[in-house]
C-alpha cells in the first residue's frame, strides 16, 4: 500500500495535515505561530483580536482542574492595528513552510466585527475566523452572538460584506441546538464552521478559602473532559450544513483526531493538548494519525470523514 | 508531587531581608528543582510567579514592587497563602566550580541552587549586587550553605563599589573552568552573556516575563518564540541569543 495522504483542502486552501492550532493557545506572536508550524501543525490560528487593546482579566486566568483546563483569559489582545503587524510577520514566516494562517477576530457589536475583519484582512491571512462564542466576557459584552441564530447570522453577514477571504465561524456548544446556528451562519455566507469553543462557563471553588479561584469567577472548560460533547456537536453540525468543519475540543491523540473526522470534520483543532503534551503534540498526533491510517488501510482523510453517519 | 490547583499553606516564619524584600517560610514542602517557580495566589487579589528559595520548607523571597507584592507584605505569621506548581525548567547543575551572580531579588532562585550545588560538593562563589548594603538579600543563606560571598554595592557601603558584574568578571578570571548561573535585571544578564562568550564559559540565567497561565498555553510569557514559563525560566545564553537572531526554532524545548 502507498503511504497515506494526510493533506486536506479547506475552502480550496491546502493543509499538509488536518491539525490546526486552536485560537488562544500560543497564538500571541509571529514567532510562536512559526514555532507551532515547525512543530507540525497543518495550519495555525492567531489569538482572537478585537478592535482595541485589552489586558484581559486578572489572574488566575487558566487552571488545570484535574480533567481538563478552565480559562477566563478575557480576550486579552493588542488591538487590530498591532495585530495586523503581527499577522503580516507571521504570514511571512509561515509562507516558506507552506502553513496557512487563520486570523481570529471578535468584537462587541455586529458592525465592529465587520470593521475588525476589514482591518485584519490587510495582513492577507488565509482565513478569517469569527469568534462569536467566547463565554468569558459575558459580564461586559452580554450573551455571546453564538447563542442566537439571528445574532450569529448578522455577524456572519457583516464579515461577509467586509472581506472576500474565506470565513470560518466559530460556534459555541452552550446552546440547545447547535445545528440551527450552523445553518444560519452557512446561509449568510460562512465558508467553514469551527466547533467548538469552550464549554460552560464552569466554576472551580477553592474549599480552603471558599472563593472561586478564577478572578473572573467563571471560565470556559476545555481539554479531554469535553471531547464527547465536541464530537456530538461536530456530528450534529455536519448533518446540518455542507460547508467544511474544523472539529475542536479535547483532541489529545491521533485516535481522537480520527474520531472527530469520523464525526464529519475536515480539519481538527488542537488547543489544551499543548498543555498536556507540549508544542510537540502536533507532530505526535500527526504520526499517530498516519499510523492509524496505515493500520486500517485508509489512503486519505476523506475516506474516514463522516463515517459515523453511515447506517 | 506537583500542585495543579492553588493549595493553601500557612506562613511559619517571616524575615525582613531589606527595606523592601521579605522572605516567607511556609508550613509545607514540595519537590522542585532550583530555578523552578510557583504561581502564588492571594484570593481576591491576584496570582503571580515567584521563584522557590527552597522546597522544604517552601520558601519565597518577595520584593515589594506593586499591588500584589504589597498585599503579600501585609501577611503575618499564621496567615495563609496559596500556590500551584512547581513549573518550568530549572538550572542544569554542571560538575564544575560555580559562579553565581545575583542582582536584587534575583538572589532567590540562586540561593536554592547554591544549597543543592554545595550538597553535591561543588565549590560556589557568589557575586551579590544591590544599591546599598541594606538592599543585599539572602546573604546569610549563601554563607550558611558554604559559599564564598562577594557583595557589590553601587554606593560602596559594603564590598566592591560598583556592579555585581564587575565582581563576576574577577571571579570568572580566577576560575577559568567555572560555569556561571545568574538571575537579575536583563541589562546585567546581557553583560554576563558577553563576559562568558568572550571566555567560552557556559552560562545559564533565569528570566522574567509577564505570566498568566504558567502552563505553556496562553502565550503571554513569549520571548521570541520561547515560553518563559515552560521552556524556561532558566535558559542558556545560546538559547536566548539563538531565538533573538531567529535561527529556525526547533519544535520542542529549545
Ligand atoms: C519566573 C519568575 C520568577 C520570579 N521570582 C520572583 C521572586 O522570587 N521574588 C520576587 O520578588 N519577584 C519575582 N518575580 C517577579 C514577580 O512575579 C513580580 O514582581 C510580581 O508579579 C509583581 O506584582 P505586583 O502586583 O506587586 O506588581 P506589578 O504592578 O504587577 O509590577 C510592578 C513592576 O514590575 C513589572 N513586572 C511585573 N511582573 C513582571 C514579570 N513577570 N516580569 C517582568 N516584569 C514584571 C511591572 O511591569 C511593573 O513595572 C518573578 C517573576 C517570574 C516571571
Ligand atoms: C487558554 C485558552 C484561551 C483561549 N482563547 C480563545 C480565543 O481567544 N478565541 C477562541 O476562539 N477560542 C479560544 N479558546 C478556545 C479554544 O480555541 C478551543 O476552542 C477550546 O479550548 C476547545 O479545544 P481544546 O479542548 O482542544 O482546548 C481558548 C482556550 C483556552 C484553553
Ligand atoms: S504564562 Fe501562559 S504560556 Fe507562559
Amino acid at each position: 500500500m502507498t503511504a497515506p495522504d494526510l493533506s486536506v483542502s479547506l475552502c480550496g486552501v491546502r493543509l499538509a495535515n488536518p491539525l490546526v492550532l486552536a485560537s488562544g493557545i500560543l497564538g500571541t506572536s509571529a514567532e510562536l505561530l512559526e514555532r507551532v508550524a515547525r512543530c507540525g501543525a497543518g495550519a495555525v490560528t492567531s489569538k482572537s483580536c478585537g478592535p482595541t487593546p485589552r489586558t484581559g482579566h486578572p489572574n488566575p486566568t487558566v487552571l488545570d482542574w484535574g480533567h481538563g483546563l478552565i480559562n477566563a483569559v478575557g480576550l486579552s489582545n493588542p488591538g487590530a492595528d498591532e495585530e495586523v503587524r503581527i499577522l503580516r510577520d507571521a504570514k511571512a514566516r509561515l509562507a516558506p513552510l507552506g502553513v496557512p494562517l487563520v486570523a481570529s477576530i471578535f468584537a462587541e457589536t455586529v458592525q465592529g466585527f465587520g470593521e475588525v475583519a476589514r482591518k485584519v484582512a490587510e495582513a492577507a491571512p488565509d482565513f478569517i475566523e469569527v469568534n462569536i462564542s467566547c463565554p468569558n466576557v459575558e459580564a461586559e459584552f452580554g450573551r455571546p452572538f453564538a447563542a442566537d441564530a439571528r445574532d450569529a447570522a448578522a455577524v456572519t453577514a457583516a464579515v461577509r460584506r467586509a472581506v472576500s477571504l474565506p470565513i470560518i465561524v466559530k460556534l459555541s456548544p452552550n446552546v440547545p441546538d447547535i445545528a440551527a446556528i450552523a445553518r444560519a451562519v452557512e446561509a449568510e455566507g460562512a465558508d467553514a464552521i469551527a466547533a467548538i469553543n469552550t464549554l460552560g462557563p464552569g466554576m472551580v471553588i477553592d474549599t480552603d478559602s471558599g472563593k472561586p479561584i478564577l478572578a473572573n469567577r467563571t471560565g470556559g472548560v476545555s481539554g479531554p473532559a469535553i471531547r464527547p460533547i465536541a464530537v456530538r456537536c461536530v456530528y450534529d453540525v455536519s448533518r446540518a450544513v455542507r460547508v467544511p468543519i474544523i472539529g475542536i475540543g479535547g483532541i489529545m491523540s491521533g485516535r481522537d483526531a480520527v474520531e472527530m473526522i469520523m464525526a464529519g470534520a475536515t480539519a481538527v483543532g488542537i488547543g489544551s493538548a499543548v498543555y498536556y503534551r507540549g508544542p510537540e503534540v502536533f507532530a505526535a498526533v500527526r504520526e499517530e494519525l498516519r499510523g492509524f491510517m496505515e493500520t486500517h488501510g485508509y489512503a486519505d482523510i476523506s475516506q474516514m470523514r463522516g463515517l459515523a453517519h453511515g447506517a | 508531587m506537583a500542585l495543579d490547583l492553588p493549595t493553601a499553606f500557612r506562613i511559619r516564619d517571616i524575615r525582613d531581608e531589606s527595606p523592601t524584600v521579605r522572605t516567607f517560610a511556609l508550613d509545607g514542602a514540595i519537590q522542585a528543582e532550583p530555578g523552578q517557580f510557583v504561581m502564588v495566589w492571594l484570593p481576591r487579589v491576584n496570582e503571580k510567579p515567584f521563584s522557590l528559595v527552597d522546597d522544604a520548607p517552601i520558601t519565597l523571597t518577595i520584593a515589594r514592587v506593586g499591588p500584589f507584592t504589597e498585599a503579600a507584605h501585609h501577611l503575618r505569621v499564621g496567615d495563609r497563602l496559596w500556590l500551584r506548581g512547581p513549573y518550568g525548567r530549572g538550572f542544569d547543575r554542571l560538575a564544575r566550580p560555580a559562579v553565581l551572580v545575583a542582582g536584587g531579588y534575583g538572589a532567590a532562585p540562586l540561593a536554592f541552587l547554591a544549597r543543592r550545588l554545595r550538597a553535591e560538593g561543588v565549590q560556589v562563589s557568589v557575586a551579590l549586587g544591590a544599591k546599598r548594603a541594606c538592599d543585599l538579600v539572602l546573604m546569610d543563606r549563601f554563607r550558611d550553605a558554604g559559599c564564598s560571598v562577594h557583595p557589590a554595592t553601587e554606593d560602596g557601603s559594603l564590598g566592591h563599589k560598583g556592579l555585581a558584574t564587575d565582581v563576576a568578571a574577577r571571579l570568572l578570571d580566577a576560575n577559568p573552568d567555572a560555569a556561571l548561573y545568574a538571575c537579575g535585571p536583563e541589562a546585567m544578564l546581557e553583560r554576563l552573556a558577553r563576559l562568558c562568550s568572550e571566555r567560552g564559559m557556559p552560562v545559564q540565567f533565569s528570566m522574567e516575563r509577564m505570566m498568566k497561565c504558567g502552563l505553556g498555553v496562553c502565550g503571554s510569557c513569549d520571548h521570541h518564540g520561547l515560553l518563559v514559563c515552560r521552556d524556561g525560566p532558566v535558559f542558556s545564553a545560546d538559547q536566548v541569543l539563538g531565538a533573538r537572531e531567529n535561527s529556525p526554532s526547533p519544535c520542542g524545548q529549545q
Side-chain angles (χ1 to χ4, degrees), chain A residues 153 156-157 160 181-190 193 241 243:
Chain A
T156 308
R160 181 73 292 162
I181 314 284
R183 266 187 233 106
V185 303
E186 183 188 47
E188 290 301 333
I193 285 170
V241 301
V243 294

Side-chain angles (χ1 to χ4, degrees), chain B residues 162-174:
Chain B
L163 300 174
T165 46
D166 308 335
V167 179
R170 245 183 21 232
L171 292 171
L172 292 177
D173 289 335

Side-chain angles (χ1 to χ4, degrees), chain A residues 116-299:
Chain A
V116 180
R118 197 172 297 116
K119 184 77 206 167
V120 159
E122 289 174 16
D126 298 277
F127 302 87
I128 291 196
E129 183 169 278
V130 187
N131 176 9
I132 54 172
S133 44
C134 180
N136 295 328
V137 286
E138 268 194 66
E140 284 166 80
F141 293 10
R143 211 164 53 131
F145 293 95
D148 181 277
R150 265 166 313 183
D151 293 345
V155 170
T156 308
V159 176
R160 181 73 292 162
R161 279 195 299 277
V163 299
S164 54
L165 290 166
I167 302 171
I168 304 163
V169 178
K170 186 164 180 183
L171 303 187
S172 166
N174 311 315
V175 293
D177 184 5
I178 193 171
I181 314 284
R183 266 187 233 106
V185 303
E186 183 188 47
E188 290 301 333
D191 300 291
I193 285 170
I196 55 176
N197 209 316
T198 50
L199 192 73
M203 180 182 284
V204 178
I205 296 168
D206 172 65
T207 50
D208 279 302
S209 60
K211 302 270 186 287
I213 304 177
L214 293 173
N216 188 51
R217 294 193 284 277
T218 63
V221 182
S222 64
I226 73 166
R227 199 185 73 243
I229 294 165
V231 168
R232 187 271 300 163
C233 286
V234 167
Y235 183 91
D236 285 354
V237 171
S238 87
R239 300 213 133 191
V241 301
R242 308 178 75 86
V243 294
I245 303 164
I246 306 176
I248 314 172
I251 303 302
M252 297 279 280
S253 67
R255 180 242 160 254
D256 297 347
V258 168
E259 185 183 16
M260 207 46 123
I261 292 164
M262 289 181 171
T266 293
V268 176
I270 293 186
S272 302
V274 170
Y275 162 62
Y276 294 98
R277 300 183 70 183
E280 303 84 345
V281 68
F282 290 93
V285 172
R286 183 190 63 205
E287 293 317 309
E288 290 158 12
L289 178 58
R290 194 193 308 281
F292 178 91
M293 291 172 72
E294 280 167 0
T295 306
H296 293 80
Y298 291 110

Side-chain angles (χ1 to χ4, degrees), chain B residues 37 46 48-53 61-70 105 108-109 206-211 228 233:
Chain B
F37 67 95
N46 214 319
K48 300 271 183 161
F50 293 90
S51 302
L52 287 163
V53 175
T61 293
I62 299 182
R64 180 159 45 79
V65 298
F68 181 86
T69 49
E70 174 83 46
Y105 66 78
S206 179
M207 290 190 31
E208 288 189 7
R209 281 293 176 276
M210 289 298 197
M211 287 186 185
V228 172

Side-chain angles (χ1 to χ4, degrees), chain B residues 13-180:
Chain B
D13 183 61
I14 299 178
R15 203 195 138 114
D16 283 333
E17 300 281 350
S18 83
T20 55
V21 181
R22 222 165 246 186
T23 295
F24 300 84
L26 310 185
D27 66 348
I30 48 175
Q31 251 174 29
E33 289 298 319
Q36 288 192 298
F37 67 95
V38 291
M39 296 295 289
V40 178
W41 179 48
L42 297 176
R44 295 277 183 269
V45 183
N46 214 319
E47 187 195 45
K48 300 271 183 161
F50 293 90
S51 302
L52 287 163
V53 175
D54 205 340
D55 63 351
I58 299 169
T59 306
L60 306 166
T61 293
I62 299 182
R64 180 159 45 79
V65 298
F68 181 86
T69 49
E70 174 83 46
H73 276 231
H74 282 123
L75 297 172
R76 298 286 163 256
V77 169
D79 287 348
R80 289 180 301 181
L81 60 73
W82 282 251
L83 56 89
R84 60 186 173 98
Y87 297 119
R89 204 177 67 170
F91 292 99
D92 270 339
R93 297 194 294 281
L94 306 177
R96 321 165 160 229
V99 172
L100 277 48
V101 187
Y105 66 78
L110 296 178
F112 190 9
L113 175 68
R115 203 171 61 80
R116 284 280 167 91
L117 285 170
R118 291 296 301 139
E120 289 157 4
V122 173
Q123 178 203 319
V124 180
S125 312
V126 186
L128 206 55
K131 284 213 165 55
R132 306 161 296 177
C134 66
D135 297 317
L136 288 163
V137 304
L138 298 170
M139 191 141 68
D140 294 348
R141 268 183 195 260
F142 289 106
R143 289 219 169 101
D144 294 347
C147 308
S148 71
V149 181
H150 308 266
T153 49
E154 285 170 36
D155 69 353
S157 47
L158 188 72
H160 171 79
K161 181 174 189 313
L163 300 174
T165 46
D166 308 335
V167 179
R170 245 183 21 232
L171 292 171
L172 292 177
D173 289 335
N175 299 277
D177 55 346
L180 188 130

Side-chain angles (χ1 to χ4, degrees), chain A residues 30 33-35 37 44 89-101:
Chain A
L33 288 164
E34 178 191 356
R35 177 172 175 190
V44 293
D89 185 5
K91 190 70 195 137
R93 291 163 185 270
L94 296 169
L97 306 174
V99 175
L101 173 64

